[in-house]
Amino acid sequence: MPATMRHRVLALLIDSAVAGGVIAVATGVVIGLSVATAEAVSVVWLLPIVAGVGVVWFLVYSAMQGGRGSVGMRFMGVRLEHAADDAGLGFGRALGRNLIWVLTGSVLVGLFSPLFDPSRWRRGWHDIASGAVVVDVVPATGPAAPVGSVPPADLRLDPIPTSTPAPAALSVAAPTPAGSAARIASAPAPAAARLSPPSWAPASVPAHRRIARTLPVDVISTVPGVPHRDGRPASAESAAPPVIAILGWDDGTRHIVYEPTLFGRGPGQQPGRRSTAVRDETLSLSKTHFEIGTDDEGTWVVDRHSLNGVVIVRGGQPQRLVPGQRARIWSGDVLELGDRRLRVESAR
């Protein structure tokens, strides 16, 4: 999730205080040596020594930002990520980001460039140039439900083991007047196999929110008879497989899925799966965001450890998927992917 401006500003203030402390210590050491040695160590060396300490700290600060985060960032629970692949920013990009921030900040307007970004990511010029986003790394936690209890309105994700032929289902539970729970599920799983309700998803994207129009995206890449992206001939697909799902994006683009397919801004090729790139100007989708597939029980979706995650909205109840775990999707479900929405028009 994007870091709030409040957390970003506080992290910067903390880092500025740390930098000021380092410079103050270096200045005190030089002045102390000058006094202790009766000016054998001249105060004239103060400026170059302090400048050298400042440069060294700037490099250390950039290395910390490119890794697990600076002192202020760790304290405020934010971190820099590379927008293209959701990985850490790295020392080189973090150093370039800070140099650009210093140069643009010297004319003041660069200090406020994050406010010019209308998206919720608030990327400044230095973020855009280095391909960085500032994310909130504090995990959302919620109370674990007691074993055997059923919350008043519980949308639970049942794990679907890949090694067993009879996976469980994504089910909706609601209390009856007598206090018992009536479940709607295609294959109920034992209570011990169920997960405690994970963190609730953030609020849905408002209906009035303007979604950036994307270009038509690879509808043909999921149609039998058309050559694959990886060069496989169309003749290998002479027999059309059954439809797994029909998906409709918030910008009107539709996909017809015939086989396990990876979706994202630029998913790589993987054996046995198609890779469908989605043009996304909101930067809400990860490079490989999610996968749609099917088995004997029906259609499933899995979050491929994306940055913004996958939220299933069913009957008005949003629930975030556990990354790497499959969950059933039904016709009428809505998948929330950051700022993007995907409706399941049809599923097996």
Side-chain angles (χ1 to χ4, degrees), residues 52-237:
V53 170
V55 170
V56 171
W57 174 249
F58 186 78
L59 296 176
V60 172
Y61 173 68
S62 298
M64 294 173 66
Q65 281 191 316
R68 296 179 56 192
S70 62
V71 176
M73 295 173 71
R74 296 187 194 189
F75 184 81
M76 297 307 303
V78 300
R79 188 172 60 196
L80 287 176
E81 300 282 1
H82 190 202
D85 54 14
D86 308 331
L89 196 60
F91 171 70
R93 290 181 179 274
L95 179 61
R97 176 181 181 271
N98 289 331
L99 289 174
I100 294 172
W101 186 81
V102 171
L103 292 176
T104 58
S106 61
V107 292
L108 293 181
V109 66
L111 298 177
F112 304 97
S113 61
L115 301 179
F116 304 154
D117 182 7
S119 75
R120 62 184 186 139
W121 291 99
R122 294 295 185 183
R123 302 176 74 199
W125 295 338
H126 52 304
D127 295 319
I128 297 173
S130 59
V133 290
V134 187
V135 300
D136 189 351
V137 297
V138 178
T141 57
V147 176
S149 65
V150 179
D154 181 21
L155 178 66
R156 290 179 285 188
L157 296 178
D158 297 333
I160 302 179
T162 56
S163 59
T164 58
L170 177 67
S171 57
V172 178
T176 62
S180 60
R183 303 198 58 201
I184 304 174
S186 59
R194 296 195 176 282
L195 296 175
S196 296
S199 307
W200 286 102
S204 303
V205 179
H208 64 272
R209 181 182 179 87
R210 177 181 175 274
I211 301 296
R213 176 71 184 181
T214 59
L215 299 179
V217 277
D218 284 347
V219 175
I220 63 170
S221 69
T222 58
V223 178
V226 177
H228 285 261
R229 281 175 163 271
D230 55 10
R232 283 183 288 163
S235 59
E237 305 176 14

Side-chain angles (χ1 to χ4, degrees), residues 26-27 29-31 33-34 39-53:
T27 302
V29 169
V30 173
I31 294 177
L33 288 175
S34 178
E39 297 188 356
V41 177
S42 176
V43 181
V44 177
W45 289 98
L46 178 62
L47 183 59
I49 290 177
V50 170
V53 170

